[in-house]
Every structure is written in structure tokens, then in C-alpha cells.
Amino acid sequence: MQVSAPAKVILFGEHAVVYGKPAIAVPVSSLRVTASIEERSSGGLEVFAPDLKQRFYFPRQDNNAEENAIEVAVRLTLERLQAKLPQAVIRLDSSIPIASGLGSGAAISTALVRALGSAAGRVLDPQTTNEIVYEVEKMHHGTPSGIDNTVIVYEQAVFFVRSQPIEPIKIGLPFSVLIADTGQGALTKVAVGDVRRLYEAEPERIQPVLERIGALVLEARKMIERGAIHALGQLMNENHLLLQQLTVSSPELDRLVKAALDGGAAGAKLSGGGRGGNMIALVTPDSAAQVRASLLKAGAVRVFETQVK
Ligand code: PMV
């Protein structure tokens, strides 16, 4: 028996979303975490994550040791299910690069929560799954907005505002986005903390930047619903400039953004926490190959294409 969860990418509004502004994110269904469940008659639960080179056994041997994300996910899920520990081996295989803003942590948690539900003979509803994964995300991010877990659990394009019900977005015309990795790992938690310090030190300069990002996201939603790709590209470019003002870009991200535009992308920006990780470029069937080549030439270590539909 197998269950799975996708990667995600933020199209607009990262960082400002932490301050209550809207953001738009989409699932990347071609990159996934798959959980394979093998039931057995004894031996407790084993969770095996070959990509992380980690194995966990339950019941835990040392209850005094601090729990890691996998252990928290198992505990919270069994509590919510009011289920006994299943006798099973759950294997987690991931094709999502880790620590690069594609939501690998939230996807691992989501696949694991679903696998435990399945091992207990139950289907957890998306809202409960989302709540559990959000709790686990707090371990990675400190004060996450909740956008990662939401887009991954629901696996649909979302217009997200912190603490509000999610709004699916209607895609007027499918479009393609290239996701290019700078190869530089960066901790979202650090970037989010730095933006917080900047905001507290200079609120009169930073508040308008956050407001403008919020306004731009509303505009982007309209353009996505209308299928106005060119206008959407312009909004991406502006969003990148505003993220630079929040100090979350980096020379590598700026270089890839420039390379994408030079290669003919309709727009480009960093995506996610920034300071490294990924950037995105809006492409058409005509420009995709040229933009990809330009990104690789400028030093991207990996380029994925995803269709937003
Ligand atoms: O680095 P990622 O892709 O997990 O994105 C984090 C998005 C932020 O807005 C920077 C933080 C958050 O919790 O929303």
C-alpha cells in the first residue's frame, strides 16, 4: 500500500505572508514523497527514510531524548487517530531536494501522516492532516505561516492568508514555471528572523514594502485567473525587487533571475525563504528551452519545469 505527497513552490508573497499578507503557492506534483506501508504481525513500528539515511523505531527506546520531526509526526497522528501503535514498516522515498524551499519537510510529514492513517485503517481528513503537519513544521521554521503544509496537503494552487480558510485559485490558462536551484542551502528560519529584526528596526521603511507585496499578490491572482501571462511576469519581477529590499535575495539568486530574463523569461524571482535555495522563472513553450539553458549556464545546479494548471 502506498500514499504520497507533492512538493510545492511559492509563486508570490513569501515573507510578507508571515505578516498577514496574502501569498500564492502551487503544488509540484512531479516531485513527491512516497510512503510504502508494509504491515507485519509484531515488532512495533519502523519508519525508514533512505534519503535521509535515517531509521526510527517505535515505541521509542529513550523517552527522555528530544523528539525529532518524524517522531513528533508519529505521536501527534496516533493521538489524533486515538489509535494504537501499528505493527508496520513505513518506508519514505523522496524525489524532492531537501532544504531548498520546495517543502520537502512538509511533504515527508504529510506522506507519513497519511501512511499512519492507512496503517490504522483510517483516512484522516485534509484539515486534520494539515493541522498535524503544521505542528511539525514549527520544528523546522519556528513561526511558519502555514502556507507550505496547506498547499502540500490540499495539492492545489492556493491563495493563502495566515489563519484564514484557504481559497483555491482558478487557473485561467495553464502556464509553465522553471524552478532553478542555486545549490546553496539556506535556512528559512534564519531569513524569517532577519526580516523580523529589520521590520522592528525600521518599520516605517519595511511596512510599505510588505503592503506593496500584499497588493501585488492580489493583482497576481487576477492575472492568473485571467491567463494574463505577460502581466504576471512583470509582477514577478517587481516581487523580486521587493524581496531584495527585505534582504532575502543573494548574489546567486540575483544572477539566476537576470539569466532567466536574458534568456527570454516573462518574469523571474526568488521563491521561498531566499538567501539561497530556489528561484522561479515564468516561461512559454517558445522560451522554456532557452531560459533553461541560460539558467544552467549561469550556475543553476538543477532546473525543474512544472505546469500550473
Ligand atoms: O523556504 P520555504 O519555501 O519553506 O518558504 C518559506 C516561506 C516564508 O514566507 C519565507 C515563511 C513562511 O512561513 O511562510
Side-chain angles (χ1 to χ4, degrees), residues 267-306:
K269 63 182 274 294
L270 73 83
S271 172
R275 299 270 172 84
N278 285 284
M279 55 75 67
I280 54 174
L282 185 60
V283 294
T284 60
D286 291 341
S287 67
Q290 180 67 44
V291 176
R292 177 189 288 269
S294 182
L295 286 166
L296 289 169
K297 192 158 166 245
V301 295
R302 245 186 316 246
V303 181
F304 299 107
E305 181 163 356
T306 190

Side-chain angles (χ1 to χ4, degrees), residues 1 36-42 44 86-90 115 117-121:
M1 169 80 186
S36 314
I37 307 125
E38 213 174 285
E39 296 192 32
R40 55 186 183 177
S41 54
S42 63
Q87 309 283 340
V89 178
I90 297 177
S118 156

Side-chain angles (χ1 to χ4, degrees), residues 74-95:
V74 169
R75 177 172 52 77
L76 292 175
T77 309
L78 295 178
E79 278 169 17
R80 290 298 282 264
L81 286 167
Q82 296 186 315
K84 287 203 314 265
L85 190 69
Q87 309 283 340
V89 178
I90 297 177
R91 182 189 157 117
L92 299 166
D93 289 294
S94 177
S95 58

